[in-house]
């Protein structure tokens, strides 16, 4: 491997967390990094501890209204009654733990390649921040067999089966949620004609773009001076997160950072940029980050985006018109791929770059 690719590799390799006793300077987020810890003009620290993200049961007769209200006000909610078997959620969690518990030289066998979309490595948003994050990740797109065979040559099938099953169930749940939200917006779901397209496991320009992101936030000797995952919005229509431990915080303009206290068995549903644009800004694309605990934390995020060729623009409807937001498109038209590329170059400034 040449010198150039070695240095790009180094930008992807996470710290060997097991071998450090103190937090290295490269991972210390100080007061002067506050502009990265907090949106401009807002004090760091957390908001009213009594304020909490809505918890919605999908079986509630008013679930559709409650979901839409949460999307407009919060851009995030915890979902119970979602129908994902507890056993599958436990298996995904334990296989995630097993992966991150491997010795570092094993994990490096499946290192993400520079510019690549799958494998082990630092958060892809890392280059936008001055300090490194207390985090290691593993990204899966479609069947993870190639990487799993490298990690566990003799028993890779179980990992693949669990992750495949989970991805299928997440996809179906997100499509159900998108239907509910489009109905509330009075938008005909046929405008998104790829919804419920058959999942062959292989993505094309006409199938939804999906990814499963396994995250580990290792135990930290000085959690107050580190950042698990710096603030960002997701480049998805919807992201579904599974995590048993606290650490996720979401930002609300009117109150600041709020911790999401995981409800047992619930999944956290985050609205991403694409749904924000399709709703002409009516639905919030939630800004979020992860703070570090003294104990290790794992999370699993499933991202669902439109097909790369899909032309994304506000779907104006009477419902939007009624609120005065429907008559003028607040975002210009871009393909999903163009927007993803803009996000890769500009991160959270990408949305403002497509504002009309
Ligand atoms: O770990 C979490 O709770 C959040 C992860 C996340 O935001 C992401 O992977 O985009
Ligand atoms: Fe995220």
């Amino acid at each position: 491997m040449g010198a150039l690719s070695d240095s790009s590799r180094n930008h992807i390799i996470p710290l060997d967390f097991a071998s450090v006793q103190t937090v290295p300077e490269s991972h210390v987020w100080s007061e002067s990094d506050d502009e990265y810890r907090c949106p401009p003009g807002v004090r760091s620290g957390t908001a009213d501890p009594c304020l909490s993200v809505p918890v919605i049961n999908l079986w509630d007769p008013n679930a559709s209204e409650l979901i839409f209200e949460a999307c407009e006000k919060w851009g995030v909610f915890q979902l119970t009654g979602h129908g994902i078997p507890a056993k599958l959620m436990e298996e995904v969690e334990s296989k995630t733990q097993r992966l991150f518990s491997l010795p570092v030289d094993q994990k490096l066998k499946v290192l993400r390649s520079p510019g690549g979309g799958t494998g082990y490595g630092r958060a892809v948003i890392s280059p936008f921040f001055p300090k490194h994050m207390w985090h290691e990740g593993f990204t899966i797109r479609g069947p993870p067999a190639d990487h799993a065979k490298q990690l566990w040559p003799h028993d890779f099938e179980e990992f693949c089966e669990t992750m495949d099953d989970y991805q299928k169930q997440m996809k179906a749940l997100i499509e159900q949620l998108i239907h509910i939200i489009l109905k509330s917006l009075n938008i005909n779901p046929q405008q998104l004609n790829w919804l419920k397209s058959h999942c062959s496991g292989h993505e094309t320009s006409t199938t939804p773009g999906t990814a499963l992101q396994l995250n580990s936030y290792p135990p930290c000797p000085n959690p107050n001076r580190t950042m698990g995952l710096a603030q960002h919005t997701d480049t998805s229509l919807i992201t579904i997160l599974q995590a048993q431990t606290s650490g996720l915080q979401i930002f609300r303009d009117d109150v600041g950072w709020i911790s999401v206290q995981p409800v047992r068995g619930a999944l956290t549903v985050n609205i991403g940029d694409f749904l924000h644009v399709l709703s002409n800004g009516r639905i919030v694309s939630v800004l979020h980050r992860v703070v570090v605990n003294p104990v290790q934390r794992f999370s699993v995020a499933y991202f669902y985006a439109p097909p790369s060729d899909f032309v994304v623009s506000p779907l104006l409807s009477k419902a939007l018109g009624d609120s005065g937001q429907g008559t003028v498109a607040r975002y210009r038209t871009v393909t999903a791929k163009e927007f993803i590329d803009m996000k890769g170059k500009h991160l959270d400034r990408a949305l403002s770059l497509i504002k009309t």
Side-chain angles (χ1 to χ4, degrees):
M1 191 169 281
L4 184 67
S5 44
D6 270 351
S7 85
S8 347
R9 253 172 73 90
N10 289 341
H11 287 105
I12 299 171
I13 300 177
L15 182 67
D16 178 8
F17 293 99
S19 73
V20 294
Q21 309 290 317
T22 53
V23 177
E25 201 48 41
S26 55
H27 286 65
V28 173
W29 290 61
S30 58
E31 291 284 303
S32 63
D33 299 313
D34 240 24
E35 65 172 296
Y36 299 95
R37 300 182 74 119
C38 230
V42 175
R43 264 186 315 111
S44 53
T46 46
D48 180 353
C50 298
L51 201 60
S52 59
V53 165
V55 180
I56 301 170
N57 187 328
L58 199 47
W59 287 97
D60 187 310
N62 298 319
S64 299
E65 292 81 49
L66 294 170
I67 287 173
F68 190 62
E69 203 179 301
C71 289
E72 278 196 295
K73 199 162 162 197
W74 291 82
V76 61
F77 55 94
Q78 293 196 68
L79 187 68
T80 58
H82 44 63
I84 308 296
K87 185 157 180 291
L88 179 60
M89 290 173 64
E90 279 159 23
E91 276 173 12
V92 167
E93 162 111 15
S94 72
K95 291 191 166 71
T96 299
Q97 288 195 26
R98 182 179 180 216
L99 186 148
F100 289 115
S101 308
L102 289 170
V104 69
D105 50 337
Q106 280 283 95
K107 292 186 277 194
L108 292 181
K109 283 188 188 166
V110 294
L111 190 68
R112 195 172 70 232
S113 57
T118 59
Y120 175 71
R122 286 188 193 160
V124 288
I125 60 172
S126 294
F128 292 96
F129 297 92
K131 293 298 173 70
H132 294 310
M133 299 168 208
W134 205 259
H135 165 271
E136 52 183 337
F138 182 80
T139 314
I140 296 172
R141 286 173 203 269
D146 290 349
H147 280 153
K149 275 182 201 165
Q150 284 172 276
L151 295 174
W152 304 286
H154 305 295
D155 66 344
F156 62 92
E157 281 107 343
E158 246 190 70
F159 179 85
C160 296
E161 277 162 22
T162 302
M163 297 304 164
D164 284 348
D165 189 12
Y166 191 71
Q167 290 186 85
K168 283 195 191 106
Q169 301 220 26
M170 285 293 121
K171 182 172 184 285
L173 178 58
I174 287 188
E175 288 177 345
Q176 185 184 356
L177 294 172
I178 291 177
H179 273 101
I180 290 175
I181 295 167
L182 291 182
K183 197 159 179 232
S184 304
L185 286 166
N186 207 11
I187 287 170
N188 183 348
Q190 279 173 356
Q191 294 197 60
L192 310 184
N193 56 4
W194 37 268
L195 267 179
K196 284 214 161 58
S197 61
H198 289 292
C199 177
S200 63
H202 294 287
E203 216 168 285
T204 69
S205 59
T206 55
T207 54
T210 64
L212 189 66
Q213 172 72 26
L214 315 184
N215 296 307
S216 154
Y217 306 90
C220 183
N222 199 341
N224 293 333
R225 302 193 67 195
T226 48
M227 179 62 77
L229 197 58
Q231 61 175 60
H232 64 283
T233 59
D234 289 345
T235 317
S236 59
L237 284 157
I238 290 187
T239 306
I240 296 190
L241 268 167
Q242 160 177 347
Q244 304 302 320
T245 317
S246 61
L248 176 67
Q249 294 187 335
I250 62 104
F251 187 79
R252 255 186 44 174
D253 283 340
D254 51 346
V255 271
W257 289 105
I258 298 171
S259 295
V260 178
Q261 297 306 335
V263 167
R264 209 178 143 74
L267 292 163
T268 301
V269 179
N270 276 2
I271 301 301
D273 298 336
F274 284 123
L275 210 44
H276 174 77
V277 173
L278 291 180
S279 72
N280 204 23
R282 185 156 171 193
I283 285 179
V284 177
S285 169
V286 67
L287 188 67
H288 56 286
R289 68 180 184 184
V290 178
V291 295
V292 179
N293 296 318
V295 294
Q296 186 153 20
R297 174 176 185 271
F298 299 98
S299 74
V300 178
Y302 180 81
F303 302 93
Y304 182 103
S308 55
D309 278 359
F310 181 70
V311 176
V312 182
S313 61
L315 298 174
L316 303 178
S317 75
K318 252 189 23 220
L320 297 182
D322 289 346
S323 70
Q325 283 174 295
T327 40
V328 180
R330 294 173 59 198
Y331 293 98
R332 69 177 167 83
T333 298
V334 280
T335 65
K337 181 175 182 319
E338 279 165 348
F339 185 72
I340 290 167
D341 291 347
M342 289 171 87
K343 234 8 228 292
K345 280 200 197 109
H346 305 287
L347 198 62
D348 290 346
R349 283 202 310 116
L351 266 183
S352 61
L353 293 175
I354 63 163
K355 275 216 164 103
T356 52

